[in-house]
Amino acid sequence: MSEEEKLDASQSYSADSIQVLEGLEAVRKRPSMYIGDTGLKGLHHLVYEVVDNSIDEAMGGYCDDIQVSINEDNSVTVIDNGRGIPVDWHEKEQRSALEVVLTVLHAGGKFDKGSYKVSGGLHGVGVSCVNALSSSFHVEICRDGKLYEQDYKRGKPIYSVREIGTSEETGTTITFIPDDEIFSVLEFKYDVLAARLRELAYLNTGIKLSLTDRRNVLENGEFKSEIFHSDEGLKEFVRFLDQSREPLIDDVIHISTDKFGGMPVEVAMMYNQSYNENIFSYVNNINTIEGGTHLAGFRRGMTRTLKKYAEDSKMLEKVKIEVTGDDFREGLTAVISIKVAEPQFEGQTKTKLGNNEVMGSVDMAVSEALGNYLEEHPKEAKIIVDKVVLAATARHAARNARELVQRKSPLSGGGLPGKLADCSDRDPEKCEFFIVEGDSAGGTAKQGRSRKYQAIMPIRGKILNVEKAMQHRILENEEIRNMYTALGVSIGTDDDSKELNISKLRYHKIIFMTDADVDGSHIDTLLLTFFFRQMKPLIENGYIYIATPPLYLCRKGKVEEYCWTEIQRQQFIEKYGSGNENAIHTQRYKGLGEMNAEQLWHTTMDPEFRTLRQVTIENAADADHVFSMLMGDDVAPRREFIEANASYAKIDA
Ligand code: 0RA
């Protein structure tokens, strides 16, 4: 239900009073209600919101080119070649249609019934929200041979729409600057926007989306820029996701149809040699990270069809153990995208689809695509079924390994790991768990910590690369078992569930503390991969952090300052050495071990002074792609990625 409908249903406001309540002031008063938050995520949401409107034009068949630029002043421009927002006079509202679209919540859709708009969820709040949350908002419309413009400030028009010229084209150009009174960060991230535009290109074939960063010029004298465009849709999307994985079979199984219940369903899937299941689902271009009825339909159709094929061809006869749904999805990468006219979004983050009628349509579409493929490709079908049997066998081995983890959990009698220096407080919300590189730094951290609420667990350098290991190997690994036990999390209550149980989680801050060097960042990446693949809910709940130890200690006489960047060091030299570097003593910290307990506490662990970087997943498909690339076999793409993107894996992954 939309906010408007909620008000309507619960109270007997007249239409007018709803308008007032739902005005842009409400958006400015409680921005998080409309865009999620006012940090990095919310900031980027503004762009998605504008682009979504252009995508809607494209889905209607009126637009095929969308250009996004990040400008020098951190404003963003979105240009599309759609019909252009109507500018004619709106009698009832006593202002132009353009002004209605830009100042009334949800007004955009009122003109255009029948398209796949989103209600609830985070998108679909309307371009008027972006207007409300922008310190300046400029719109240009090409329509009916003319060019029009209008400017707004914090949602209020500065003048009525005016004609400023002629134009042969049609389309809408919007440029906005996010309001610094609202947002805690104002700088757009190229990679975050690129990941979303790439995803949109795969989800909506035939549209050209481009991104240009005009904030700085590259060595070749040009702006950083990419064009995203896909003719084959999800087929290309799964190939992109599996770029760094070894395929089991080269084919992508693909279907795009609306013959089941009239609902557009597109599914693509591909098997690789890994042991991970990677399924991404979308409803009206929104990533439904909590799944829902469409995902359930996919699973059901897949399991039934593969099981039936394997049974009919007598391939399961010699297998004594029961084959479950999970076994059919090991090493599977798949993307499901459906369009629903009136989606019901449920769940904590409103990303779980509730519409029941969807399940059957997706089930039938998958069934048909997979069934046909298996019948037409017996050789490949055998390879898939063999892999399923192997998965079932390994799952039994994993069950034994999992029992090891469960038995050792503190609540079933086993003790905490010997390496853990626990804190005394028992309230998870107050408690912090530091994973520290090496025993020596671990020792320093133990001395320096605040014993009441900070626990320390040293790890022995590089932990197992979970990207390439089978589940039972992962759970047999001592360091990883210690992690489960210390954190108090377990896997599955029933035998074969992979679900993570975090109800007994003992700390709500889990902090990686590693050296500020190449090895340290490799360990961070291994740890991130582990948490991303094995304990994703902890990332989703915002419990994972990376500590930032300083790079230098600069000293002039009695004055000492820690520096985290080269710029800070230069500033110290300016300030205390009058620009003379030789007058300054610089100590470069290569590792945590070079600091004493007091220094480590002061710079890196003390909540009053430290900086923690919270690990978030901005875009699940992108994160999957990054981790498979960073941790996979193929060295070339990894090197390219690290060279092009040195800080990405550490900060944003
Ligand atoms: C309302 C009605 C029509 C188009 C649009 C809005 C529209 C909005 C945006 C936002 C960004 N780009 C856009 N392009 C179009 C329909 C116009 C008609 O019937 O001609």
Side-chain angles (χ1 to χ4, degrees):
M1 220 195 299
S2 70
E3 286 309 310
E4 207 164 315
E5 284 165 337
K6 259 186 225 160
L7 278 173
D8 228 340
S10 62
Q11 290 150 314
S12 55
Y13 286 119
S14 72
D16 285 352
S17 62
I18 288 167
Q19 285 270 297
V20 174
L21 274 171
E22 283 285 291
L24 296 193
E25 265 319 302
V27 179
R28 290 184 59 80
K29 271 210 184 92
R30 301 169 75 183
S32 303
M33 253 188 68
Y34 297 87
I35 54 161
D37 65 40
T38 53
L40 209 58
K41 225 173 178 154
L43 182 79
H44 289 80
H45 241 109
L46 298 179
V47 184
Y48 306 157
E49 196 55 53
V50 179
V51 171
D52 278 356
N53 281 277
S54 304
I55 294 271
D56 281 344
E57 272 296 279
M59 294 206 303
Y62 305 108
C63 163
D64 63 3
D65 191 352
I66 301 168
Q67 299 170 29
V68 180
S69 309
I70 313 169
N71 305 312
E72 220 171 341
D73 59 354
N74 250 305
S75 64
V76 162
T77 300
V78 179
I79 306 174
D80 72 48
N81 65 347
R83 289 168 294 180
I85 306 175
V87 291
D88 47 306
W89 189 252
H90 204 279
E91 266 314 319
K92 190 175 144 260
E93 295 275 349
Q94 283 298 297
R95 46 194 159 155
S96 69
L98 175 67
E99 207 171 306
V100 176
V101 168
L102 294 181
T103 56
V104 179
L105 283 175
H106 303 291
K110 281 182 186 154
F111 293 85
D112 244 13
K113 276 265 143 62
S115 61
Y116 299 108
K117 289 266 159 48
V118 178
S119 66
L122 280 180
H123 301 257
V125 285
V127 70
S128 59
C129 268
V130 181
N131 188 14
L133 301 176
S134 296
S135 54
S136 99
F137 186 105
H138 176 74
V139 58
E140 286 180 22
I141 307 289
C142 297
R143 219 182 136 91
D144 309 323
K146 300 198 177 88
L147 174 61
Y148 305 87
E149 70 166 359
Q150 191 175 23
D151 275 284
Y152 290 81
K153 228 176 156 162
R154 303 200 157 94
K156 297 207 167 75
I158 298 174
Y159 53 87
S160 296
V161 61
R162 63 189 179 202
E163 196 183 312
I164 52 165
T166 58
S167 174
E168 309 272 276
E169 325 282 322
T170 65
T172 303
T173 298
I174 287 170
T175 300
F176 65 93
I177 303 182
D179 194 345
D180 59 3
E181 289 175 7
I182 303 277
F183 292 95
S184 59
V185 269
L186 297 164
E187 212 173 299
F188 288 100
K189 298 208 169 195
Y190 181 92
D191 293 324
V192 173
L193 294 178
R196 176 61 183 158
L197 295 180
R198 178 182 299 112
E199 183 176 66
L200 282 170
Y202 287 129
L203 291 167
N204 303 279
T205 50
I207 308 177
K208 186 178 131 199
L209 294 134
S210 68
L211 178 62
T212 306
D213 190 343
R214 300 180 193 278
R215 290 173 297 188
N216 40 54
V217 184
L218 297 177
E219 274 171 27
N220 64 9
E222 288 175 26
F223 293 124
K224 184 170 181 178
S225 186
E226 270 170 287
I227 294 171
F228 306 104
H229 175 268
S230 170
D231 282 324
E232 290 191 305
L234 300 192
K235 204 168 171 170
E236 283 176 77
F237 198 178
V238 292
R239 282 205 191 283
F240 169 77
L241 290 170
D242 268 0
Q243 206 173 49
S244 304
R245 297 187 177 106
E246 209 53 55
L248 185 71
I249 304 161
D250 270 327
D251 301 326
V252 178
I253 304 167
H254 180 242
I255 186 167
S256 177
T257 179
D258 58 4
K259 74 178 178 192
F260 303 106
M263 184 182 61
V265 175
E266 190 182 354
V267 178
M269 50 189 167
M270 179 174 191
Y271 278 98
N272 60 62
Q273 314 244 16
S274 85
Y275 311 105
N276 297 319
E277 169 188 331
N278 263 310
I279 305 178
F280 299 97
S281 65
Y282 297 84
V283 176
N284 301 355
N285 294 329
I286 293 175
N287 186 196
T288 37
I289 56 171
E290 294 175 282
T293 47
H294 54 327
L295 188 63
F298 171 82
R299 289 194 169 146
R300 210 159 74 171
M302 235 205 97
T303 304
R304 184 168 31 77
T305 309
L306 259 176
K307 206 168 193 167
K308 183 166 186 310
Y309 180 86
E311 275 163 2
D312 288 354
S313 47
K314 317 235 177 294
M315 281 193 246
L316 291 182
E317 271 176 2
K318 18 182 206 324
V319 189
K320 292 285 166 283
I321 40 188
E322 208 213 335
V323 179
T324 71
D326 278 347
D327 302 329
F328 290 106
R329 295 188 298 271
E330 198 174 282
L332 179 75
T333 297
V335 183
I336 307 153
S337 168
I338 64 168
K339 304 275 158 65
V340 184
E342 281 178 51
Q344 288 141 27
F345 289 110
E346 304 166 350
Q348 254 197 325
T349 54
K350 292 253 177 264
T351 57
K352 180 176 183 177
L353 186 69
N355 304 51
N356 283 318
E357 73 277 11
V358 165
M359 193 159 356
S361 304
V362 179
D363 180 338
M364 282 187 274
V366 171
S367 221
E368 178 171 295
L370 187 58
N372 287 347
Y373 180 84
L374 296 172
E375 294 301 340
E376 289 163 15
H377 300 81
K379 233 177 47 215
E380 285 80 4
K382 183 169 183 322
I383 297 175
I384 295 174
V385 177
D386 283 347
K387 164 128 182 152
V388 171
V389 171
L390 188 69
T393 316
R395 180 171 46 81
H396 275 254
R399 179 192 294 178
N400 300 333
R402 199 156 47 229
E403 278 167 7
L404 273 176
V405 174
Q406 281 159 351
R407 232 178 300 135
K408 275 204 87 180
S409 105
L411 293 138
S412 55
L416 290 164
K419 289 178 129 223
L420 172 73
D422 205 8
C423 51
S424 56
D425 202 310
R426 283 285 162 265
D427 178 0
E429 274 188 44
K430 294 193 189 120
C431 292
E432 305 179 344
F433 179 73
F434 282 82
I435 303 172
V436 185
E437 171 182 356
D439 286 332
S440 118
T444 314
K446 272 180 215 175
Q447 282 171 27
R449 68 175 168 152
S450 169
R451 178 181 296 271
K452 187 165 159 46
Y453 61 90
Q454 292 181 322
I456 309 290
M457 181 137 103
I459 54 162
R460 218 183 310 115
K462 307 203 168 159
I463 65 157
L464 179 72
N465 179 357
V466 299
E467 193 66 27
K468 299 201 306 204
M470 283 177 106
Q471 187 69 14
H472 70 283
R473 288 273 172 234
I474 296 169
L475 296 175
E476 279 162 11
N477 181 283
E478 191 185 338
E479 210 123 49
I480 285 175
R481 282 216 319 260
N482 282 344
M483 208 89 83
Y484 278 93
T485 317
L487 291 173
V489 301
S490 54
I491 317 162
T493 33
D494 69 281
D495 262 359
D496 292 323
S497 161
K498 284 184 183 168
E499 218 136 299
L500 194 72
N501 179 356
I502 63 166
S503 63
K504 306 245 160 60
L505 181 67
R506 304 175 64 244
Y507 317 90
H508 282 190
K509 281 204 174 71
I510 296 157
I511 304 165
F512 306 170
M513 194 160 68
T514 58
D515 292 343
D517 62 6
V518 182
D519 279 344
S521 91
H522 190 199
I523 293 168
D524 284 347
T525 313
L526 284 164
L527 284 168
L528 276 177
T529 310
F530 167 70
F531 281 97
F532 182 70
R533 294 289 182 217
Q534 303 286 319
M535 296 195 179
K536 206 178 203 164
L538 299 189
I539 303 184
E540 285 164 353
N541 280 296
Y543 295 154
I544 309 288
Y545 298 84
I546 300 176
T548 51
L551 286 178
Y552 310 104
L553 176 63
C554 291
R555 193 179 300 133
K556 168 79 193 296
K558 283 207 163 71
V559 192
E560 273 187 355
E561 257 176 43
Y562 296 103
C563 297
W564 275 259
T565 62
E566 181 56 29
I567 293 170
Q568 284 179 347
R569 192 177 80 93
Q570 292 300 336
Q571 284 167 346
F572 185 90
I573 294 168
E574 274 310 308
K575 198 161 144 199
Y576 296 103
S578 312
N580 176 9
E581 176 147 9
N582 290 328
I584 305 289
H585 180 263
T586 300
Q587 182 188 348
R588 165 116 174 68
Y589 288 123
K590 290 201 205 69
L592 300 168
E594 292 178 16
M595 278 184 269
N596 63 34
E598 195 197 335
Q599 288 171 321
L600 187 61
W601 160 256
H602 188 64
T603 60
T604 315
M605 299 175 74
D606 179 358
E608 294 267 332
F609 292 102
R610 72 186 179 196
T611 310
L612 294 183
R613 293 177 297 167
Q614 190 175 37
V615 175
T616 59
I617 306 172
E618 299 286 342
N619 183 308
D622 189 52
D624 169 65
H625 180 251
V626 168
F627 281 119
S628 67
M629 185 160 70
L630 288 175
M631 295 290 136
D633 291 313
D634 218 353
V635 180
R638 172 163 60 223
R639 188 179 305 127
E640 271 170 41
F641 177 85
I642 291 171
E643 277 167 11
N645 227 329
S647 65
Y648 181 93
K650 271 200 88 169
I651 301 172
D652 289 317

